[in-house]
Amino acid sequence: MQSLSLGQTSISKGLNYLTIMAPGNLWHMRNNFLFGSRCWMTRFSAEIVFKSVSFRLFGVKCHNADSEPLKNEDLLKNLLTMGVDIDMARKRQPGVFHRMITNEQDLKMFLLSKGASKEVIASIISRYPRAITRTPENLSKRWDLWRKIVTSDLEIVNILERSPESFFRSNNNLNLENNIKFLYSVGLTRKCLCRLLTNAPRTFSNSLDLNKQMVEFLQAAGLSLGHSDPTDFVRKIIFKNPFILIQSTKRVKANIEFLQSTFNLNSEELLVLICGPGAEILDLSNDYARRSYANIKEKLFSLGCTEEEVQKFVLSYPDVIFLAEKKFNDKIDCLMEENISISQIIENPRVLDSSISTLKSRIEELVNAGCNLSTLNITLLSWSKKRYEAKLKKLSRFA
């Protein structure tokens, strides 16, 4: 028999038998050959308690230099059998493999009962291994809460397949339940909550107080700008920008002030902007938004644009502020090198949605089709592939 020492605890390791002695209690574990599982028994004075668990020791090192660390062989075997990408799982959340108790088999059976395929389950665990630490009771309760928002089990499975973190990131079901009740109470529809759950699941991991602070701030902002229905104002902004609730009120306030002062907007104009195309700017870093706009101004001024033209350009397409400085400059240069004028770009800002490689290849195809880019409506450079190819085919016939 080989003996291991862990502080004041001694572990004796023998065939099919492990005993841990500790002050005031006795831990005893052995293989149950009749039931094919493991049991542990704890004795506190005269009281004896039995409980069946999936119990594993992982990474306990022997003092003997020739000994290997104990392996969590059952967990690895189960995950490999399930088709989990072990390397990916280890890289993403290595701590899971140090857990003494995991519930991978329970998770598998639960998700199968909800309509998930074995391949989807393996993908979920590979990308978010912490899922196997959730108990069946926690999973069932969380699923029921999600069904208050999502219309079917299959829809939840599809969300988990795309973003397993959205479901498994938190195990605080009480907080989830309170957030759902609160967001319904402030007028958000089931459709809006489903959008939040799909795109910004961290909203429901926020403390209830944080979500209340942001909603109250937005309601006050709407009233200060003259909106007659603060609830409607909040609903519009959240629907346009589902990430708003996971930002700080300080950031959102700074960006509202930036938009109002930079573009000299009155309250009505600002309301239209932040309830519409400018809503997504509200969760940008304020420093980034200011630097990006400064770069846009500098670049367009260098090409002969006026302050009025620059503002018109950005207000008609606020997403341009999200472009990194180099990417914005390179796209402008790419278009102008092909004899597309800056006035064409100002009038059709969505052309900047496309990557530089897409812009170059499409410009070449249009030129080969005999198009005059200086007179062409250049919005087709940003069209979907299917729509663009149909237009190109039509143009080629008339070339």
Side-chain angles (χ1 to χ4, degrees), residues 23-252:
N25 50 55
L26 170 69
W27 293 70
H28 177 75
M29 183 179 74
R30 62 183 174 185
N31 284 336
N32 185 324
F33 294 100
L34 291 177
F35 300 102
S37 62
R38 293 181 178 180
C39 296
W40 58 261
M41 177 179 73
T42 310
R43 186 172 69 200
F44 298 90
S45 63
E47 182 182 6
I48 300 178
V49 182
F50 291 90
K51 185 178 180 182
S52 177
V53 296
S54 175
F55 184 85
R56 310 180 183 94
L57 288 177
F58 183 85
V60 180
K61 294 185 179 180
C62 303
H63 288 304
N64 187 334
D66 296 327
S67 299
E68 293 282 338
L70 294 177
K71 300 291 185 182
N72 195 337
E73 293 176 356
D74 289 347
L75 173 60
L76 294 176
K77 180 181 177 182
N78 286 341
L79 296 183
L80 286 169
T81 301
M82 293 165 69
V84 172
D85 186 329
I86 301 296
D87 290 338
M88 180 188 293
R90 281 188 187 279
K91 288 178 182 177
R92 297 203 171 191
Q93 292 169 348
V96 170
F97 293 88
H98 295 268
R99 295 268 186 156
M100 295 173 65
I101 300 174
T102 54
N103 304 299
E104 63 277 2
Q105 296 290 4
D106 289 329
L107 175 65
K108 175 184 175 181
M109 297 307 297
F110 180 83
L111 292 177
L112 284 172
S113 73
K114 300 299 182 182
S117 67
K118 293 179 180 179
E119 292 75 18
V120 167
I121 296 170
S123 175
I124 287 171
I125 298 174
S126 298
R127 290 178 291 142
Y128 202 81
R130 201 176 298 155
I132 67 175
T133 66
R134 304 295 182 242
T135 65
E137 295 79 13
N138 182 276
L139 290 171
S140 182
K141 174 65 174 176
R142 199 164 191 82
W143 198 276
D144 290 343
L145 290 171
W146 271 47
R147 280 301 305 273
K148 292 183 177 181
I149 300 173
V150 183
T151 55
S152 70
D153 288 344
L154 184 58
E155 192 175 350
I156 297 179
V157 169
N158 289 337
I159 294 173
L160 265 60
E161 185 177 3
R162 297 193 304 271
S163 174
E165 181 184 6
S166 61
F167 188 87
F168 297 105
R169 184 174 186 270
S170 170
N171 64 353
N172 189 336
N173 288 330
L174 179 59
N175 188 62
L176 171 62
E177 185 173 15
N178 288 337
N179 274 318
I180 291 173
K181 288 178 180 177
F182 169 69
L183 293 172
Y184 270 133
S185 74
V186 297
L188 298 188
T189 63
R190 186 170 184 165
K191 181 180 180 181
C192 190
L193 261 65
C194 189
R195 180 174 166 83
L196 287 176
L197 201 57
T198 304
N199 296 293
R202 278 181 53 201
T203 299
F204 299 91
S205 299
N206 277 353
S207 70
L208 180 60
D209 285 343
L210 277 178
N211 283 335
K212 282 184 175 180
Q213 286 175 21
M214 179 58 78
V215 168
E216 289 168 359
F217 166 78
L218 291 174
Q219 288 174 335
L223 286 171
S224 70
L225 293 174
H227 200 289
S228 59
D229 186 348
T231 298
D232 180 61
F233 175 74
V234 170
R235 185 167 53 245
K236 285 179 178 177
I237 289 184
I238 292 177
F239 191 78
K240 286 288 186 179
N241 184 354
F243 302 98
I244 194 77
L245 290 172
I246 59 177
Q247 304 302 331
S248 69
T249 55
K250 181 179 178 181
R251 170 177 288 193
V252 176

Side-chain angles (χ1 to χ4, degrees), residues 358 362 380-392:
T358 298
R362 289 187 175 184
L380 58 84
L381 293 174
S382 60
W383 286 358
S384 68
K385 182 178 179 181
K386 183 178 180 180
R387 187 183 177 195
Y388 165 75
E389 288 179 346
K391 181 66 173 179
L392 178 64

Side-chain angles (χ1 to χ4, degrees), residues 244-367:
I244 194 77
L245 290 172
I246 59 177
Q247 304 302 331
S248 69
T249 55
K250 181 179 178 181
R251 170 177 288 193
V252 176
K253 182 175 184 291
N255 282 324
I256 290 176
E257 292 172 349
F258 159 71
L259 291 172
Q260 187 167 29
S261 61
T262 301
F263 299 102
N264 300 313
L265 303 174
N266 61 37
S267 295
E268 184 178 351
E269 291 169 335
L270 183 58
L271 276 173
V272 171
L273 179 63
I274 62 179
C275 286
E280 293 183 354
I281 294 175
L282 298 182
D283 64 314
L284 268 179
S285 159
N286 187 248
D287 287 341
Y288 181 90
R290 291 180 181 278
R291 287 199 312 270
S292 179
Y293 182 67
N295 176 70
I296 292 168
K297 282 180 64 175
E298 181 181 353
K299 182 66 176 177
L300 296 186
F301 279 178
S302 72
L303 297 171
C305 295
T306 65
E307 180 84 31
E308 183 181 356
E309 287 173 326
V310 173
Q311 291 196 357
K312 176 187 175 182
F313 172 71
V314 175
L315 288 175
S316 65
Y317 183 57
D319 283 358
V320 72
I321 291 180
F322 287 87
L323 285 177
E325 295 174 17
K326 185 177 186 307
K327 187 169 288 187
F328 173 79
N329 294 343
D330 288 349
K331 286 185 178 183
I332 295 291
D333 291 341
C334 170
L335 292 167
M336 297 198 68
E337 286 169 2
E338 301 297 335
N339 297 319
I340 293 174
S341 68
I342 190 61
S343 60
Q344 284 177 283
I345 299 172
I346 295 291
E347 293 297 325
N348 303 283
R350 289 190 178 276
V351 70
L352 300 177
D353 279 343
S354 298
S355 67
I356 290 177
S357 60
T358 298
L359 290 173
K360 286 183 175 180
S361 62
R362 289 187 175 184
I363 286 171
E364 183 178 355
E365 289 169 342
L366 290 168
V367 169

